[in-house]
Structures are given as structure tokens and as C-alpha cells.
Amino acid sequence: MDETATGTGAGARPPVPGESQSPPAPEPGAFGMDAFTLDDRMRLFHFAAVEKRHDYLWVLRALDRGRANYQVLLHASQARELLGALRAEHSGCPEIDDVQPLLDALADWRLLDRSYDGTRAANLAEYRNRHYVYQFTQAGYRAYRAVEEVLGAGLQDAQLSRLVFPDILADLKALAEANRVGDGEEVHRKLARLDQALSDMAMRAARFYLMLGDLARTNDTRPEVFLTHKDALLTHMREFAAELARYQPLLATAVAEAAETGVDRLIALAAEADERPFSSPRHREHDWRQRWAGLTQWFGAGAAGEAERLQSATVTAIAGVLAMLRRVTEARRGGVSRESQLRHLAQWFASCPDDDAAHALFQATFDLGSPRHIAVPHDDPELIPSRLSWWETEPVRVARTLVQAGRAPRLHGVGRIERNEAQRQRLRADQLKAERQRQAAGASLTSAGVYGRVLDEPETQTLLSLLDLALSARVAVSRSTASGSAHGVRLTLHPCEGSTTVTTVRGRLHLDGLRLEVS
């Protein structure tokens, strides 16, 4: 073997001050993946960086095919037969004469588990030759699948899931009902399903925005890829942003309703129904509490939620795609892209027979050596005494087009902006005053309510703005309640029999079948 298995010794996360940098040792009595130290886990990927990495990859693919056919333990001869079957199907599969050294190296890196097979020995001499059989270790199979996912990743894998929002909303309502009646198994199922949905959404979003970043970096070299997918990208992001904005207040309300049934009770029921045999009750309860905290961070009410950040990232990505489209369109406006022009120019420079020809081509192309003489009269020549030299007088403003291209500007630019600081300060003071009035009106609505009294003008304006937000959030998926929040208060619409009336300085506001609650 010309490859040596060397450990990296690197950590999987940034170092923490005061923390030991040595790989953690496995716990006493650990088995399976828990018995792998940090260095052992890093060595699992060593096969992807050695010289014969393609041979190692196809050997692992052969073992994976045997695993799919329920052949868990494989001898070297069986692995060779599976490689022959792969070679008949895939032209890129190499012809490997001896797979035994490759299997031994993979076993040394702990991707494979090697054991003795005494049933193959016909006599004592063969038994002493130690006929080996191989199978994937749990960590080794995960490392192999991780490499396969990277190799098989494509543009089609990057997508945002907008159809998951109705399922999340339904699961949140079912979670609140199960916690209310004390159904621990249903709480465990719904909470696990919500955690899986959020993990999948976060992974899809991260993969999608990384794809947009790669596309932005490569659109100059491969603009046809971007132009092919631009319409689908814009439609996909706009639909996702619309669905997220539509369901965000509904999901926040559903999270709040689930929390009202008792967070501690919900966590206790989920941990009690958890069937992980090698996890202590305290660890399971801590794990489910962390998952509930992540769910609240995603869809709970507040300006720092992950749903808000995802909405902002989607809007920013739409603007980025439009900017890329504008750059590509401007580059191809003349029939020949800027990239093609620069490539041809570079080829001309490379074909120059000597330095003089290269300098002449540079002078003809960029013309940076020849001076350009211009004459511009002063706007008011009488202001400058004739006895002063050019070094002592004020400079004359010269148009940029006259200096760069030798052409006088045809249109004058915009005038200088005159800033009125007094007017700006007055407008800013009025803005702050109006904001304080809205906050005071919101506090008054929260403390005194909206019924049984006459609302003044600031309270009326605040109530109407909150009512507009709440009514816009009422969609077909939630006909029971709707809410809207602004200025630090939340207005909730509850269905009721008959109608309610709110008295304001502008008149009476009649609401058919709705009752208002400000919190």
C-alpha cells in the first residue's frame, strides 16, 4: 500500500476559550458510533483524498450494492464479483485486479468492519490464513453516503418548500389539542414531525441560497445557465415569499396556543413517550425542550424569529437575481458579451510577435499615453483678475465626458441639493411625536379596552391600523381567529354571535360577527 492512514486532529467546530483541544475520548462502555473518537471520525473521509480515491469509491459502491441485496458480510471474491457487475453497467468503473489491499485499508480507517470466516477453511492451513469478511460500520456507511450526496448533488436539489406551511399549521393545532387532553404518544409524534419539517426547511433554504451564491459567482463564465433558469427562480422565490408572509401570523398564533396548554407538560409527555433506549429521561427531556425552543424561535411572535430572517433573505435574493439579470442583459446588449471581447483581446496580446507590437496594441486599445488638451472658459471671467497666474486662481469645473471622451456634455446634471437642516429636524420631531402618540394609544387600548367608551383620534387611528392588519391575515385556512400586531400591541378578532360596536370620535364602527380583543 502506498497510502498511509494519517489522522487530522482537527475539530468539528471552532475552539472555545478554555476548552481542551485534544480529541475527546469515548465514554466507558460506549459502543457503535459512540466508541469513535473525533480523530477516528475525521479519518473516515481519508479515502476521498488519497491517490486511489476512485478505486476506494467503487469498492464502497460494490459493498453498498451488496448491502442493498441483503449481503451484509462480503468476502473479497464477492466484492470482486460485484465490481464486475458495476463495470458492466458503468463505463467509469475501473478494473481492479486485487481488492484485498483496498478492503484492508478501508478496515484500518474503520469504514469497514473486518472479521474472520472459519466456514471457508477446508483444512487447518486455510483456517490459519484467516479468511476475512467485511461489512460497513455504522459510521463508515454514513461517511460513504455523505460523499455520495456531495458527488450526486445538482441544481435540482436546491429548492424552497412552500407546501409545508399548511402541514406545519395543522400539526401545531393537533399538538395543542393532544397536550390539552394529555395524549403523550400524539404529542411525541407531532413534535417529532414538526422538528423534522423545520430541519428539512432550514436545510433546503441553506442549500438554495448557497446555490444562488454559486450562480452569482459563475454567471459571467456561464450566463446561459442563469438565463435558462431565471424565470423559474423568480417565480419560485416569489411564491415562497408570498406563502411565508401569508402563514407567518397564523403559525405564530398556533405556537402561542400550543404554549398556553403548558410547555412543561408538553415536554414531559414527549420525553415520556420517547423510546430511545440508550438515553436517560433527563437527557430526553432536555432534547425535547431544545426542539421546542427551536420551534418557538422559528415561528414564535417577535422581530428576531427565523421566519422573519427567511423572509428578508428571500426578498434580498429576488433583488440579487434581478441585478444579475440586468448585468447579463447589459453585457449582451451589443450582440457580443464583454467576456468574449476580453478573451479576443487577450488572444491578440498573446499573438503579438514582440514587445513593441504589444505596446502598440495597448496604445491603440486603451490610449492611456497620449495627453488630451482641453480649453474651458470660466463661467464669469470678470471674477478672476488677469494679473493672477493659473496657480493662484480658483480651478474651473471640467465635465467628465470632456476629459474621458473629448465630448462636451449636452445636458447639464442635476443641481446641487440644498439641505434644510431646520426643516429636517422639525419633520423628525413630528415623526417622533406621532410615534409616541401611537404607542400611548396602544397602551390605552390595552388597559381600557375598546368597548364602553369613546375612543379619541390617536386611539381610533391605532385601532384602524391594527384592524387592517388583522383582517388581511384572515385566510381560508383559519376562519376562527385572526390577529395583527403593531406599535407593541396585538389585536385579535374572535367570532361571536350578532355584532359589536366600537364608539369613536369619528362615529360608530359596527363589526358583524366579530369581537375585538387588544393585548
Side-chain angles (χ1 to χ4, degrees), residues 62-276:
L63 268 71
D64 186 36
R65 170 166 291 194
R67 180 190 178 106
N69 295 331
Y70 304 104
Q71 293 177 311
V72 180
L73 296 173
L74 292 176
H75 191 263
S77 59
Q78 295 174 326
R80 192 180 303 107
E81 293 175 359
L82 291 172
L83 273 175
L86 287 175
R87 193 181 308 110
E89 299 175 5
H90 304 279
S91 59
C93 181
E95 185 175 355
I96 304 174
D97 298 330
D98 189 7
V99 299
Q100 187 72 47
L102 302 179
L103 293 172
D104 291 336
L106 291 172
D108 293 338
W109 294 326
R110 304 188 70 175
L111 278 89
L112 302 180
D113 180 70
R114 178 173 54 193
S115 57
Y116 303 137
D117 185 13
T119 60
R120 294 178 175 271
N123 50 47
L124 183 60
E126 291 185 0
Y127 181 78
R128 291 175 178 175
N129 287 334
R130 295 181 179 178
H131 291 265
Y132 291 121
V133 288
Y134 302 87
Q135 64 175 333
F136 273 110
T137 62
Q138 185 181 4
Y141 186 72
R142 292 194 178 190
Y144 161 70
R145 292 308 308 168
V147 174
E148 284 287 14
E149 288 180 3
V150 173
L151 295 178
L155 190 63
Q156 294 79 8
D157 298 335
Q159 59 179 346
L160 297 171
S161 178
R162 65 181 178 86
L163 302 179
V164 74
F165 294 127
D167 296 335
I168 293 178
L169 182 60
D171 288 341
L172 283 172
K173 293 183 177 180
L175 176 64
E177 182 63 25
N179 190 35
R180 190 177 293 110
V181 300
D183 189 351
E185 295 183 356
E186 184 68 13
V187 168
H188 177 270
R189 283 193 294 267
K190 294 304 179 183
L191 198 55
R193 183 174 173 178
L194 286 169
D195 179 69
Q196 181 64 30
L198 289 183
S199 300
D200 182 70
M201 182 189 303
M203 182 180 63
R204 287 173 181 267
R207 190 183 302 165
F208 183 80
Y209 294 125
L210 283 176
M211 179 272 298
L212 288 182
D214 295 338
L215 191 62
R217 288 188 293 270
T218 60
N219 73 88
D220 293 334
T221 58
R222 294 187 300 169
E224 63 278 358
V225 175
F226 172 71
L227 294 176
T228 303
H229 300 285
K230 63 178 179 62
D231 293 333
L233 278 175
L234 290 173
T235 302
H236 185 64
M237 287 188 292
R238 284 170 178 166
E239 291 179 352
F240 178 79
E243 287 295 299
L244 182 58
R246 177 188 178 191
Y247 278 93
Q248 183 177 350
L250 303 176
L251 292 172
T253 303
V255 170
E257 292 177 355
E260 290 176 357
T261 60
V263 176
D264 295 335
R265 181 183 181 185
L266 184 144
I267 300 301
L269 290 175
E272 184 179 356
D274 196 343
E275 297 180 347
R276 286 179 287 182

Side-chain angles (χ1 to χ4, degrees), residues 258-292:
E260 290 176 357
T261 60
V263 176
D264 295 335
R265 181 183 181 185
L266 184 144
I267 300 301
L269 290 175
E272 184 179 356
D274 196 343
E275 297 180 347
R276 286 179 287 182
F278 303 113
S279 179
S280 63
R282 181 179 179 182
H283 180 269
R284 291 197 297 266
E285 184 173 349
H286 177 72
D287 183 28
W288 287 110
R289 191 174 296 277
Q290 292 295 326
R291 298 188 188 188
W292 173 256

